[in-house]
Amino acid sequence: MDALVLVFPTLPRFFAGFISMYFLGYFVFFRNWELKHRKEASSCLMSLAHGSPAVIMAVRALLHSQTLGTFANPNSALENTVLDFSMAYFLADLLHYMVFFPDETLFILHHLATLYVFVTCRYMIHYGAHGLLLLLILAEVTSACQNVWSIAGSRKADVPAAARLHEFLAVPFYALYSLVRGILGPVCLFKMGVFYLNGGAHGLIPAWAWISWMVVIGSAILVSILWVSNLWAEWIRERSHRAQKKVG
């Protein structure tokens, strides 16, 4: 089965595909949008092309793994393909931020940190993709909803239908995001940490690698929790303000 991935595009080809998707959004789908929203929506289009396919690819790779349940198994060809696919997306989106939004330090650091984890796992260590793909699934399962919500939000001031869609998706997106990033993600990371601390990866994954992975992933999860907490707080304030206006 792993031999089938030999016909799949390599990292440069994946990267070219995401860049092409960005240009398709920028010059075709969103060509009449205001410039700032045009750039943001093109980034969201790339993210849409990455998120759900990455989840499907990661699930398939894990189901075909010969050593399910261990965080220190050697990377399979399918798992490496998923890592290449995700690295290509993060490289393309990192380029977008560095060119158009260089002040978005948090996003740039997030992408660099994610690339560090994937690159070291894929090209240096060659072990440990199992746990990273589990976390990738949790991270990207909300991607479709989040990107549609984001694109609708960028036009909500100009298009009533976009405003309604943005509001309709808010609570389901916040709830699902809170579940996977605030509960399932930390649980998975905790199990990985216990596995590594108990020596499960001894002789396979160097301590510097898994410790740095844990720090990077833990920091990303914490930032995600803070971000969605702010979204919930803003949503509550808006509902409170609307209720006060009705009473008034």
Side-chain angles (χ1 to χ4, degrees):
M1 180 63 68
D2 284 356
L4 292 176
V5 302
L6 295 176
V7 301
F8 284 8
T10 57
L11 175 60
R13 292 178 182 173
F14 280 135
F15 178 76
F18 284 115
I19 292 296
S20 299
M21 183 64 66
Y22 186 92
F23 287 154
L24 184 65
Y26 192 87
F27 292 110
V28 179
F29 295 150
F30 312 117
R31 66 182 183 277
N32 296 322
W33 289 25
E34 189 271 329
L35 185 58
K36 180 176 182 294
H37 296 325
R38 186 179 176 188
K39 298 171 184 175
E40 292 173 343
S42 299
S43 174
C44 287
L45 185 64
M46 275 201 309
S47 184
L48 277 168
H50 168 255
S52 295
V55 170
I56 295 170
M57 292 170 66
V59 169
R60 178 173 180 268
L62 293 178
L63 289 176
H64 285 84
S65 173
Q66 300 300 311
T67 50
L68 287 174
T70 174
F71 295 119
N73 58 300
N75 301 349
S76 69
L78 283 172
E79 289 170 338
N80 283 335
T81 299
V82 181
L83 293 175
D84 280 343
F85 182 72
S86 289
M87 282 188 286
Y89 160 70
F90 282 107
L91 282 169
D93 206 43
L94 177 63
L95 183 62
H96 155 78
Y97 278 106
M98 294 184 71
V99 171
F100 295 121
F101 303 101
D103 294 334
E104 293 284 357
T105 307
L106 186 61
F107 282 99
I108 291 173
L109 289 176
H110 170 269
H111 285 19
L112 288 172
T114 303
L115 284 167
Y116 163 78
V117 173
F118 286 170
V119 168
T120 53
C121 177
R122 168 71 171 92
Y123 292 106
M124 295 178 63
I125 309 302
H126 308 294
Y127 286 82
H130 178 89
L132 300 186
L133 293 195
L134 285 175
L135 289 165
L136 178 67
I137 291 169
L138 294 176
E140 297 298 337
V141 72
T142 59
S143 175
C145 186
Q146 179 176 353
N147 283 292
V148 173
W149 171 81
S150 296
I151 292 173
S154 68
R155 297 305 305 274
K156 66 180 182 179
D158 306 313
V159 181
R164 291 192 296 270
L165 179 60
H166 184 262
E167 183 171 1
F168 174 77
L169 290 175
V171 172
F173 164 55
Y174 298 170
L176 181 59
Y177 193 94
S178 299
L179 172 64
V180 296
R181 300 294 184 105
I183 299 176
L184 300 181
V187 168
C188 183
L189 186 64
F190 175 77
K191 290 184 176 181
M192 287 177 63
V194 170
F195 175 84
Y196 290 136
L197 287 170
N198 287 335
H202 180 71
L204 299 174
I205 302 176
W208 66 262
W210 68 258
I211 291 173
S212 63
W213 293 352
M214 295 291 291
V215 170
V216 168
I217 296 168
S219 300
I221 289 175
L222 178 60
V223 170
S224 297
I225 292 173
L226 293 174
W227 182 70
V228 77
S229 297
N230 287 332
L231 291 178
W232 277 118
E234 182 179 348
W235 182 84
I236 291 171
R237 285 195 299 269
E238 288 181 358
R239 293 304 177 279
S240 177
H241 180 66
R242 290 183 185 180
Q244 291 175 358
K245 287 181 65 176
K246 287 182 179 180
V247 172

